Amino acid sequence: MISISNKKLDAWIKEVADMCQPDEVYLCDGTKEEYQKMLDIMVEAGLGTPLNPEKRPGCYLFRSHPSDVARAEKRTFIASKNKEDAGPTNNWIDPDELKKSMTELYTGCMKGRTMYVIPFSMGPIGSPISKIGVEITDSPYVVFNMYIMTRIGTAVLGALGEDGEFVKCLHSVGQPLGPGEVDKEWPCIPNVDEKYISHFPEERMIWSIGSGYGGNALLGKKCFALRIAGVQARDEGWLAEHMLILKLTNPKGESYYVCGAFPSACGKTNLAMLQPSFPGWKVETIGDDIAWMKFGEDGRLYAINPESGFFGVVPGTSMQSNPNAMTQIQKNTIFTNVGLTDDGDVWWEGSGIPAPDHLIDWKGNDWTPDSGTPAAHANARFTTPAAQCPVIAPEWEDPAGVPISAILVGGRRKTTIPLVNESVDWNHGIFLGSIMGSEITTADITDKVGQVRRDPFAMLPFMGYHMGDYLQHWLDIGKKTDACKLPRIYFVNWFRKNEEGKFIWPGYGENSRVLKWIVDRLSGDAEVVNTPIGNLPTLDGIDLNGINIGEAEMTELLKIDKEAWLAEIESIKENYKSYGDRLPKELAEELAKLEAKLA
Ligand code: SAT
Ligand code: MN
């Protein structure tokens, strides 16, 4: 058994080993050699494929079990001591009860396997904004993904020291092996109702079993960096958010840092590394998914990207949607659940590359364009080092973080919400963040198609506590500094449609035109029109040079449809009711103000 100078960690490892009964315990050092060794273990077991080194050097393909392809939302639990503290948006189980039933599942669950201990840092090691976690897992796939997504190994143990605090992250695929038995396929518990992704917020602890995929298994990401860190942030006065971070530089050479919260399927990763469509402007990336923000000594909010890699959706990634990602995933990238071509490359739907005549699909079957099934799973992913992003900002690992000037919030709305709307003050901005969301499509909940699923700050699936308390926390953050030092909040919507059902705004790289307007606002170079819903651009405010958008389209994109807004207010009221007496009074006031202004 290994021995570690941090007493709490040492004791926890022994406790977990006694419960899970692995054949071996292995402490990860975080070296490149170790990363390669973990990949080799999977490849030799027949569970992974190295890609053609001439086409994709250092890249590998993995196929998960068809039952284990995405986050298991209904099996994700917030086990706070009091049920009310989990709030109306989470699944709750009593923590003692949950621990009891999960202990049964964990007992002997690592038999025949190695138990890997991964010390990791969310954020640059030693940054005052960073936090340490330790993931214990029986999956080498988790180890090499954590190597890309976080900073792992010996240096983290050094930063932890003898009595440093860490978040306990326990993970098992839940498939013990008998003597001589080996994995024949991706190990997991196929029955989704037997998977658990559990959070114990008061104990800062995560227990996950049964899934080896994405956020269910790479516990540094959504489980720690959003759900548990969200609770830490509430208690300690900072913010742990589901936001990209980008840097915009105007032709005068002035740089601004912007965060953006968008629900999934809104192109967050694409926006984080977009190529501006006009000369003289530059966009660089700090992070594509999560931002941790703390006040600096100057009273401004400073953000770090707690991750060191991107775990992005592959289908739809193309030279049109994200040319920088296409370059980034050319090497040293893990692909999961895409198609494998006959020449050892990968292919996916929406790549902009014609489908080959034959490939092996994400389930491992022969596939041709006539198969009638997708070659890649819709939630197929790449895991790729952030440092490889062609437009990563040089300061992306600055331990001090970057000062945030603006926050974007937005969803997928075909009506009502204008292209961009500037909040008039902090509370109004939090109100806008609280009402964001997307229209439900057939892929989600079929009897609610067209209704808006409110997803405050895109945190609905990632909340570690009561959503009402969370919104109150945002409001309270605004009281901690001078109003002029707070980021300005912008509500954006790229997805408004015309009467024929076509998107009016071209999207993709052209979204930089909206970013440009926002920067012009920040530098005092753009005017606004005051409206009942907020500050909108003037009709000629957004630079349309070189795109096929005229005044008619712009009028439509910025239109305030009173009827639609009155219906919106009713739907917001309905949503606010679910917060009960934990609805912040400031938000009720904002809603009342809006209603009065529209009347
Ligand atoms: O699988 S993750 O939760 O990491 C990604 C996502 O679904 O947003
Ligand atoms: Mn995300």
Side-chain angles (χ1 to χ4, degrees):
M1 178 66 77
I2 53 176
S3 165
I4 284 170
S5 67
N6 185 292
K7 304 234 173 10
K8 271 193 206 156
L9 177 54
D10 197 59
W12 183 58
I13 294 170
K14 294 196 164 74
E15 194 187 302
V16 172
D18 282 346
M19 174 168 71
C20 300
Q21 303 162 34
D23 285 6
E24 265 175 77
V25 178
Y26 175 93
L27 176 65
C28 296
D29 61 16
T31 57
K32 183 91 210 235
E33 291 70 36
E34 178 183 86
Y35 167 77
Q36 190 58 51
K37 193 168 97 190
M38 296 297 136
L39 283 161
D40 294 345
I41 289 173
M42 293 279 288
V43 170
E44 277 156 29
L47 301 177
T49 309
L51 296 178
N52 183 340
E54 312 227 309
K55 299 194 177 264
R56 302 233 179 221
C59 294
Y60 291 79
L61 168 68
F62 294 84
R63 293 187 196 105
S64 76
H65 191 274
S67 69
D68 197 29
V69 292
R71 265 183 297 107
E73 278 188 29
K74 67 170 185 177
R75 301 300 303 166
T76 300
F77 300 97
I78 301 297
S80 47
K81 290 200 176 108
N82 296 316
K83 181 169 189 198
E84 297 71 47
D85 292 336
T89 61
N90 283 311
N91 304 312
W92 178 85
I93 301 181
D94 174 80
D96 295 331
E97 205 180 290
L98 183 57
K99 267 188 219 161
K100 213 168 132 226
S101 46
M102 287 190 74
T103 298
E104 268 171 40
L105 293 174
Y106 276 134
T107 301
C109 73
M110 294 188 187
K111 276 188 185 156
R113 298 188 185 274
T114 299
M115 176 176 123
Y116 302 98
V117 179
I118 318 170
F120 64 95
S121 176
M122 297 311 291
I125 296 173
S127 157
I129 314 182
S130 299
K131 295 232 177 244
I132 289 175
V134 177
E135 178 158 355
I136 294 184
T137 178
D138 51 11
S139 162
Y141 175 89
V142 167
V143 178
F144 57 71
N145 274 275
M146 287 292 282
Y147 173 90
I148 295 176
M149 294 305 297
T150 73
R151 288 105 176 147
I152 73 169
T154 312
V156 179
L157 279 187
L160 183 62
E162 286 186 15
D163 42 34
E165 294 294 325
F166 62 95
V167 172
K168 293 173 178 169
C169 308
L170 174 55
H171 169 255
S172 170
V173 295
Q175 280 287 337
L177 295 168
E181 199 187 341
V182 292
D183 287 315
K184 291 194 196 67
E185 56 178 8
W186 171 274
C188 67
I189 301 177
N191 180 357
V192 66
D193 293 326
E194 291 171 31
K195 298 182 207 271
Y196 284 87
I197 298 95
S198 304
H199 305 72
F200 302 89
E202 287 95 356
E203 275 182 73
R204 319 293 199 224
M205 185 169 84
I206 300 154
W207 275 15
S208 166
I209 190 166
S211 168
Y213 200 80
N216 302 334
L218 313 176
L219 301 185
K221 197 174 179 58
K222 313 294 191 182
C223 295
F224 177 176
L226 292 175
R227 300 193 192 98
I228 295 293
V231 172
Q232 295 175 308
R234 177 200 62 192
D235 294 348
E236 298 165 9
W238 52 283
L239 294 161
E241 297 301 324
H242 189 208
M243 291 182 180
L244 63 86
I245 313 167
L246 60 80
K247 175 187 179 186
L248 262 154
T249 306
N250 68 15
K252 291 186 249 177
E254 298 160 342
S255 293
Y256 294 86
Y257 298 95
V258 176
C259 283
F262 298 88
S264 43
C266 287
K268 188 144 129 267
T269 300
N270 301 345
L271 184 65
M273 46 178 117
L274 66 66
Q275 266 178 4
S277 53
F278 36 82
W281 287 69
K282 199 156 124 189
V283 172
E284 290 161 281
T285 312
I286 308 276
D288 81 324
D289 195 39
I290 299 176
W292 282 1
M293 283 179 267
K294 270 192 185 158
F295 284 110
E297 275 168 24
D298 60 0
R300 296 187 67 191
L301 278 171
Y302 284 75
I304 61 162
N305 170 9
E307 302 187 285
S308 61
F310 301 161
F311 184 66
V313 176
V314 186
T317 304
S318 69
M319 285 313 278
Q320 187 197 15
S321 69
N322 196 336
N324 286 317
M326 289 296 270
T327 307
Q328 185 175 356
I329 62 179
Q330 209 56 51
K331 58 180 188 194
N332 308 322
T333 295
I334 309 296
F335 292 89
T336 307
N337 290 345
V338 295
L340 175 67
T341 64
D342 294 347
D343 58 356
D345 199 356
V346 278
W347 187 85
W348 56 87
E349 281 74 19
S351 59
I353 297 160
D357 293 337
H358 172 263
L359 53 70
I360 304 294
D361 71 9
W362 71 277
K363 289 183 172 169
N365 299 322
D366 285 302
W367 181 95
T368 71
D370 299 326
S371 291
T373 51
H377 185 273
N379 191 41
R381 296 277 172 159
F382 54 71
T383 321
T384 190
Q388 257 176 229
C389 173
V391 292
I392 197 84
E395 66 275 43
W396 80 279
E397 295 190 280
D398 187 338
V402 294
I404 300 303
S405 298
I407 294 175
L408 314 183
V409 300
R412 217 171 229 282
R413 295 294 304 272
K414 52 181 189 282
T415 65
T416 321
I417 309 299
L419 180 62
V420 54
N421 175 11
E422 182 188 70
S423 58
V424 300
D425 59 23
W426 185 255
N427 286 4
H428 180 235
I430 307 313
F431 170 72
L432 296 178
S434 82
I435 67 170
M436 62 181 271
S438 294
E439 269 121 20
I440 293 168
T441 62
T442 39
D444 307 301
I445 315 161
T446 37
D447 60 337
K448 294 195 175 154
V449 174
Q451 289 182 26
V452 178
R453 187 190 197 221
R454 304 279 160 202
D455 187 354
F457 290 98
M459 285 291 280
L460 189 62
F462 310 115
M463 264 321 294
Y465 60 107
H466 194 294
M467 189 64 91
D469 293 350
Y470 165 74
L471 293 168
Q472 187 64 58
H473 177 58
W474 266 102
L475 292 158
D476 293 344
I477 285 284
K479 298 177 193 137
K480 287 184 195 278
T481 192
D482 306 328
C484 65
K485 291 183 177 158
L486 289 165
R488 283 200 214 162
I489 299 177
Y490 293 84
F491 196 3
V492 298
N493 178 28
W494 325 126
F495 301 100
R496 198 144 166 172
K497 287 186 174 173
N498 64 16
E499 274 164 13
E500 286 98 63
K502 291 224 171 76
F503 290 119
I504 311 175
W505 182 250
Y508 302 117
E510 309 304 349
N511 293 343
S512 56
R513 294 170 190 270
V514 175
L515 295 179
K516 174 178 185 292
W517 180 78
I518 289 170
V519 164
D520 286 344
R521 281 293 295 156
L522 296 170
S523 62
D525 295 324
E527 297 299 313
V528 289
V529 184
N530 304 116
T531 80
I533 63 165
N535 297 333
L536 299 196
T538 54
L539 266 188
D540 61 353
I542 291 178
D543 186 338
L544 301 175
N545 230 324
I547 50 169
N548 202 11
I549 297 278
E551 209 177 289
E553 285 85 5
M554 213 55 216
T555 305
E556 193 58 32
L557 284 164
L558 298 176
K559 188 168 94 187
I560 301 173
D561 178 343
K562 191 174 153 187
E563 290 309 307
W565 270 99
L566 291 176
E568 187 79 10
I569 287 174
E570 290 314 307
S571 141
I572 296 166
K573 280 185 190 161
E574 212 36 56
N575 175 248
Y576 273 9
K577 259 193 225 155
S578 68
Y579 302 145
D581 61 4
R582 302 216 196 182
L583 172 71
K585 70 170 187 337
E586 293 94 328
L587 294 184
E589 281 164 19
E590 288 296 326
L591 184 59
K593 266 198 265 179
L594 174 63
E595 197 169 10
K597 280 191 210 158
L598 279 166

